[in-house]
Amino acid sequence: MVEIFGCVLKDGNAAPVVHSALERLEHRGYDSVGEATVYENKLWMKKDCGTIDKVHARHDLDDLPGRVGIGHIRWATHGAPLKENAHPHVDCNRQIAVVHNGIIENFAALKRELEDLGHVFGSKTDSEIIPHLIEENLKRGLPFIEAIRETINRLEGSYAIAVIYAKQPDKIVCVQNQSTLTIGVAENAAYIASDLSTFLPMTKRAVKIENQEFAVVSDGKYEIRRITDWSLLPREPKLIKWTREKAEKLGYPHFMLKEIHDQPSSIRNALKSQDQYLDLITAFLDRAKEVFLVACGTSYHACLASSYMFSKLASLSTHPVAATEFIQQQGRSINIDSTILAVSQSGETADTLAAVEHARIQAATILGLTNVVGSTLTRVSRAYLCIQSGPEVGVAATKTFTAQLCVLAQLALRLAKKRGKVSHVEIEHLEEKLEQIPGVVETILQTQEDRIRKIARKYRDKGFFLFSGRGINLATAFEGTLKLLETNYIPSMAFPAGEMEHGPISLVEQGFPIVFICPRDETYEKIVEDIREMKDRGASIIAIAEEGDEEIKALADDYIEVVKGVPEFLSPIMCVIPLQLFAYYMAVERGLDPDRPRHLTKAVTVK
Ligand code: AGP
């Protein structure tokens, strides 16, 4: 995950402009930075890993000549955060520099093809194939713009790309497909940015580059074309009224809400996990004698849900353990035959790392699932997977939870396939359903948000909430509880619906709010009974139910609809969306800032 920026100035040096634009995004915590400019038919470049401050202190990012420049800050997904993996990437002759945001899915095949033609690669990124492909097309005699167009035709995946070329030092060429890219237009300059908040201090006039479009940007001018038929697309700049802070949140009032809405796209990214790494971790899980799923907080809830996935799909029994309890509970039994799958968004949670370290010393196999390549977890793991969500700013984890679930679901499916536990037809069906999950989440966001806001308003003064579910959605209930209590400071608890009679039922009185997560899975009949029982005792029921479920609707005081026909192992991904929104709108209704919950930090890195 990255951000890209570029500028073409009429006068002056581009490098300090690029540097300060990237600095505006620095607080999100990127791990590498780089800039390139063109001057006197030569390419100039500086890049390294580390924060912008550190890289600037080492290299002086302002000291590059030329009025045309591009820049990039990186959150590693393909290739570790090393200097060679930082952007821009260049061709063999150092004539073409490219910054790229997105994922090139067919990069491995293209790289092999280019290596056969004699191209030498310096990085492990998917992005580096782009300057080499352009170089190859230039060698074939194509003009610069045509060479880029031809290159784009070979790429599969999502991209926002900006290219500069030593021999055409007056322009930046950009392309966009399933990504975000905007041109900023000023009197004496033009800018391109994946995040328009970076150019708002310089200009408020912006032109969006839409999907499958190509733009050539020079000082104060731009030309946009449709890639498919090369038709010219006249498009006037629009005035952006957002403040920089608001623009950074894409107009949403809080990062938490922005990140909830990011989920169709972050889930799509999570589904692009690289096959070879999924296969590798699957192989480790397959041969493991015992598997512990270890994590804290939201990541632990992902572990809980995945223990159902592994068991039901692949007949693999796993032990989900809160990292804080792992050493006490399991410490002495861990040995060379134990496999630990540690899940951590940050990869730096002290308790998770302590559990991992303990297991490592006992010669256990350590596997990691994280959002931060280069984090301590990736360094201590035998193999790891990245969920590819990009930076999550909100302290309450939202998009990284659903991304974790997606990757864990992919692992469970692969293991099921490898073990022959599910028929090919069924696997194909489930894979298809997994592919549809971003659309399912999108539908819930589009259709249920208003209703959830109203429900939050109705219940905002309640002093206690109970969340309940059965089967895999018990994990969803736990996550709904955590979201509500961390952003609202309302005591809440989650309990398996079947356990209610073993204690929690004594809490229930008139108007006592219980959130039931009840999609139509194999626990459905029982949960309908649970709801009836609570209703009889006066509870106010908020049900997360499938669309068209008239039985639940009739029983519930309030209901939120999720999509029909999503398989059970994927249902937490959709059922948690209403709970995230509920926590968010409760906080807003109660006048709290959901982005800054009291006493909490994004990553708990000390014990
Ligand atoms: C989630 O909303 C919390 N802020 C917190 O519980 C978090 O999930 C936990 O600290 C684990 O963090 P990690 O995934 O970075 O290890």
Side-chain angles (χ1 to χ4, degrees), residues 1-3 28-32 72-78 345-346 371-373 386 388-392:
M1 293 304 115
V2 305
E3 298 294 347
R28 296 188 198 165
Y30 292 88
D31 56 46
S32 326
H72 183 279
I73 41 178
R74 175 166 190 256
W75 173 280
T77 50
H78 283 195
Q345 185 281 130
S346 60
N371 193 28
V372 186
V373 177
C386 178
Q388 315 198 121
S389 296
E392 186 174 61

Side-chain angles (χ1 to χ4, degrees), residues 90-133:
V90 293
D91 64 313
C92 296
N93 300 319
R94 249 185 111 94
Q95 296 274 298
I96 303 152
V98 171
V99 288
H100 163 226
N101 177 19
I103 297 168
I104 307 296
E105 285 160 17
N106 58 337
F107 92 100
L110 291 171
K111 189 169 177 176
R112 274 194 301 276
E113 182 185 318
L114 287 159
E115 278 172 338
D116 287 347
L117 291 166
H119 288 259
V120 178
F121 286 80
S123 80
K124 294 229 171 340
T125 65
D126 52 342
S127 314
E128 197 187 352
I129 57 143
I130 303 167
H132 289 278
L133 270 177

Side-chain angles (χ1 to χ4, degrees), residues 560-591:
I560 300 160
E561 282 186 336
V562 289
V563 174
K564 208 154 80 185
V566 171
E568 187 183 349
F569 84 113
L570 297 175
S571 61
I573 304 173
M574 76 165 171
C575 290
V576 79
I577 307 292
L579 302 183
Q580 295 170 343
L581 284 169
F582 180 63
Y584 172 77
Y585 281 115
M586 282 287 280
V588 171
E589 287 294 329
R590 290 156 51 84

Side-chain angles (χ1 to χ4, degrees), residues 295-301 343-350 352 370 392 394-398 400 404 479 482-483 486 597 600-604:
C296 290
T298 290
S299 299
Y300 170 64
H301 299 150
V343 180
S344 171
Q345 185 281 130
S346 60
E348 299 295 351
T349 296
T352 307
T370 183
E392 186 174 61
V395 167
T398 51
T400 54
Q404 286 169 344
E479 180 55 10
L482 179 60
K483 288 289 89 76
E486 71 178 325
L600 292 176
T601 52
K602 184 68 187 155
V604 186

